[in-house]
Amino acid sequence: LQTMSGNEHDWLALKPQEPSPSQCCGSGCKPCIYDVYEKELAQWERAKANGDKSLLMEKKEQSNNSELNPDTFTAFSISSVEQLTEDTYQYRFELPGNSSLRLGLGQHIVLRGVVNGLEVQRAYTPISPGNAEGYFEVLMKCYEAGLMSQYIKTWKKGDMVFWRGPFGGFPYQPNKHGELLMLASGTGLAPMLPILQAITDDEEDETFVTLVGCFRTFDKIYLKPLLQDLARYWNIRIFYVLSQEMSLEKLPWSYQENTYTGHLNEDLMKTVINSCRRKPFVLICGSSTFNEDMSRYLKAVGIEEDSCFVF
């Protein structure tokens, strides 16, 4: 068996690693981590064929220009950590100077973490306004067994964290839809907030919005003060559906009339749709089970797929 020549060995060491499935966040990013890999692999093959390692120099795994970019990861520093509920945190990241992420509405960014030597990537939607200067904020839920959660739980102020993006998003246009119905479960609230804020910030935008937030209990509702502020606008209504609250009597009275107990099922969906002032365009964000259930209930009450957008 002939041994590999030293040169061959060097080239193998430089070969890009194929991503493992845990590294793909599954959100349909363009470019996906697999696209980036294909591009790097082609570059490596070209360099190897030409015997010229300098052709690999443009390969930047992490960019240092501190600007968010879809192809490479950029490091951002954590400037504050705030615990919202027992398992949910709001992280603020610093942007150099007074720059802003310039995200489109509901766009997500991809986080890279390393846990026990395994690289993991997940998509998150910043909740700060897209034009916020000098910072961006992300809402994150930590799961007991989640790989990424184990990494996130170690974060403290001043740590550097790697992000790339932006991806996806809902192409929102003011006054294009008479009414938006937002169905959000847990942290699925995140992509709804920049859209809500864009609507309330624009005096010319007269879109009605009905937001239905699904949480387990009253304590688990995130960002209550912000939601209460938004609900004061003439064109915004917010309902809550709490799956593990038995009765509404213990809730503050201001929540009682717009809160339901149990699950957002087909009957409740009918009630919500009937209370909409116009035929709604629906935005959905939650777990894959939640998203599938919602699409099914909407279909049952006569709202077709072309009137829905799933984050």
Side-chain angles (χ1 to χ4, degrees):
L1 192 85
Q2 84 186 88
T3 52
M4 206 187 296
S5 72
N7 194 24
E8 193 75 3
H9 203 275
D10 288 353
W11 276 106
L12 266 185
L14 293 168
K15 188 176 179 178
Q17 291 274 302
E18 181 169 2
S20 65
S22 74
Q23 289 175 267
C24 175
C25 70
S27 303
C29 304
K30 295 266 174 287
C32 168
I33 180 154
Y34 284 104
D35 300 334
V36 175
Y37 165 70
E38 293 297 332
K39 194 173 108 189
E40 289 179 354
L41 187 63
Q43 196 182 340
W44 176 81
E45 283 167 351
R46 201 167 58 238
K48 184 171 186 274
N50 290 318
D52 180 358
K53 290 182 184 155
S54 72
L55 291 175
L56 293 173
M57 289 316 289
E58 59 189 301
K59 176 184 173 225
K60 291 197 300 290
E61 169 69 333
Q62 297 170 356
S63 74
N64 299 326
N65 61 0
S66 68
E67 269 203 7
L68 189 68
N69 144 4
D71 296 296
T72 52
F73 282 95
T74 305
F76 294 95
S77 159
I78 298 174
S79 56
S80 72
V81 179
E82 188 186 345
Q83 186 164 1
L84 300 180
T85 68
E86 59 179 8
D87 56 5
T88 310
Y89 298 81
Q90 183 172 334
Y91 293 95
R92 181 178 273 225
F93 297 90
E94 223 170 285
L95 288 171
N98 269 342
S99 61
S100 82
L101 276 190
R102 296 190 293 278
L103 290 191
L105 291 172
Q107 282 195 308
H108 64 267
I109 55 180
V110 172
L111 168 69
R112 183 178 71 192
V114 178
V115 188
N116 310 332
L118 180 69
E119 186 177 304
V120 201
Q121 300 195 15
R122 293 277 181 279
Y124 295 91
T125 307
I127 56 172
S128 41
N131 55 1
E133 295 183 348
Y135 74 94
F136 65 95
E137 289 176 324
V138 185
L139 184 63
M140 294 178 159
K141 179 171 177 158
C142 290
Y143 297 89
E144 265 316 298
L147 273 178
M148 189 59 101
S149 300
Q150 293 172 35
Y151 167 60
I152 291 170
K153 281 178 189 160
T154 66
W155 288 359
K156 51 196 184 310
K157 194 179 159 176
D159 285 354
M160 296 303 270
V161 175
F162 286 90
W163 294 96
R164 73 183 176 101
F167 303 104
F170 169 62
Y172 178 73
Q173 290 162 352
N175 299 312
K176 179 180 175 186
H177 305 287
E179 179 146 1
L180 286 179
L181 170 59
M182 299 177 165
L183 307 174
S185 167
T187 46
L189 190 61
M192 309 301 182
L193 292 173
I195 299 172
L196 274 167
Q197 287 172 319
I199 292 172
T200 54
D201 285 349
D202 180 356
E203 287 180 8
E204 309 287 298
D205 193 344
E206 300 187 345
T207 308
F208 285 118
V209 183
T210 300
L211 167 65
V212 183
C214 302
F215 298 92
R216 292 212 296 262
T217 59
F218 181 71
D219 295 336
K220 293 223 180 339
I221 300 174
Y222 313 122
L223 307 170
K224 289 190 190 80
L226 174 63
L227 293 171
Q228 291 286 67
D229 281 346
L230 289 166
R232 293 195 181 98
Y233 284 86
W234 64 275
N235 50 342
I236 312 279
R237 293 186 308 169
I238 301 184
F239 293 116
Y240 299 97
V241 181
L242 305 176
S243 59
Q244 292 176 8
E245 288 286 356
M246 296 335 274
S247 92
L248 299 175
E249 285 165 17
K250 294 197 195 79
L251 269 51
W253 66 266
S254 61
Y255 282 87
Q256 291 180 15
E257 60 182 343
N258 57 352
T259 302
Y260 299 90
T261 55
H263 286 276
L264 178 47
N265 54 20
E266 200 178 310
D267 284 346
L268 185 48
M269 185 72 85
K270 219 172 261 157
T271 308
V272 169
I273 299 276
N274 289 338
S275 77
C276 287
R277 293 139 289 197
R278 303 183 178 133
K279 186 172 179 190
F281 184 91
V282 190
L283 303 179
I284 305 171
C285 189
S287 65
S288 50
T289 328
F290 177 83
N291 296 349
E292 285 159 22
D293 288 347
M294 294 308 114
S295 303
R296 203 171 60 246
Y297 303 151
L298 286 164
K299 208 172 181 130
V301 298
I303 293 196
E304 292 304 323
E305 271 172 34
D306 58 1
S307 298
C308 296
F309 180 90
V310 181
F311 283 101

